Amino acid sequence: YDRSVSLTVLVGPANAGKVARLLERYAGVLERDPQLIVPYRSDVDRVRRELLQARGGLIGGSIGTFDDVFESIARDGGSQRPVASDAQRNLILRSVVSGASLNGLGRSARFAGFADSLGTALRELEAGLVDPGELEGDLARLYAAYRAELDRLGLWDRDLERRYAVDRVAGELDAWAGRPVFAYGFEDLTGAQWGLLEALAGRTDVTVSLPY
């Protein structure tokens, strides 16, 4: 446990009692309105029922997914940008590919699956908080064109909304009201998820349970 960053990581094998310990800590600070992050939306009701059965009642605190937290931080920052639907994103990708001047990827771009593969690659780059300027060649140009088209349309994709939330917590003192954060159930975390937890650790106490 490193007090300098307010980040506690609970590690160990499955069935070692880490989750029970984390939930006990969460329930112990309900007066501070803590945030519990779980992997899936289906986990929200299940965990809430378990906590209610264990304690008989809950006053304060929130339970949600990472996307719930990303979206809340983005909207609290005053953002009005809609998030592009999957269909809109696919259309944008195809438009970007058709209008791009490509060198090494020119022949591949003629195939129908190229835009889908590009979308997968861009999603991984965005999840890792990689910007177009950190890349080179055709991929950098396609990535920059995709981001520019989203800006022109006044849209975000889901990963850019996450990036905005991370940047806001890291750069704005009032982006998080000091509520303790707890997260469990994740075998791996994306760059954006780790980025958010690290930024939050600069604002409050963060506890994460990992199955290692």
Side-chain angles (χ1 to χ4, degrees):
Y1 176 31
D2 184 351
R3 293 291 302 178
S4 67
V5 294
S6 299
L7 176 63
T8 301
V9 180
L10 305 177
V11 297
N15 302 315
K18 303 185 304 299
V19 173
R21 185 179 177 188
L22 182 143
L23 292 178
E24 182 179 350
R25 291 186 180 189
Y26 169 82
V29 293
L30 288 177
E31 73 281 358
R32 296 177 61 191
D33 193 24
Q35 173 69 56
L36 176 61
I37 303 175
V38 295
Y40 304 107
R41 204 162 299 281
S42 59
D43 294 322
V44 174
D45 290 337
R46 177 183 59 78
V47 173
R48 185 177 290 118
R49 287 195 302 269
E50 291 176 359
L51 287 168
L52 285 170
Q53 290 171 0
R55 299 182 62 86
L58 293 174
I59 300 177
S62 301
I63 304 173
T65 65
F66 262 112
D67 276 347
D68 292 330
V69 178
F70 282 125
E71 182 176 359
S72 174
I73 293 170
R75 299 310 167 195
D76 287 348
S79 170
Q80 301 298 317
R81 276 198 180 197
V83 174
S85 66
D86 289 342
Q88 287 175 312
R89 187 172 184 272
N90 289 337
L91 288 172
I92 292 169
L93 286 166
R94 283 163 172 72
S95 174
V96 165
V97 170
S98 65
S101 176
L102 302 175
N103 295 316
L105 298 176
R107 294 181 63 183
S108 298
R110 296 197 299 266
F111 293 94
F114 181 85
D116 294 334
S117 297
L118 174 63
T120 299
L122 296 188
R123 185 173 285 117
E124 292 176 357
L125 291 171
E126 290 178 331
L129 305 182
V130 177
D131 286 322
E134 300 175 62
L135 303 172
E136 297 179 352
D138 287 339
L139 182 57
R141 285 189 286 274
L142 289 168
Y143 191 6
Y146 170 73
R147 293 273 289 265
E149 185 65 6
L150 285 172
D151 287 340
R152 186 184 72 81
L153 296 171
L155 296 173
W156 264 331
D157 63 16
R158 187 63 65 186
D159 289 297
L160 287 177
E161 181 182 58
R162 294 166 182 157
R163 175 64 177 269
Y164 171 77
V166 172
D167 290 344
R168 181 166 181 258
V169 173
E172 299 181 24
L173 291 176
D174 62 348
W176 192 260
R179 301 164 58 202
V181 177
F182 300 83
Y184 86 93
F186 302 92
E187 293 188 1
D188 197 9
L189 293 168
T190 68
Q193 290 169 343
W194 266 122
L196 180 64
L197 293 176
E198 289 172 351
L200 288 169
R203 302 280 183 258
T204 187
D205 295 319
V206 176
T207 303
V208 185
S209 173
L210 297 175
Y212 303 123

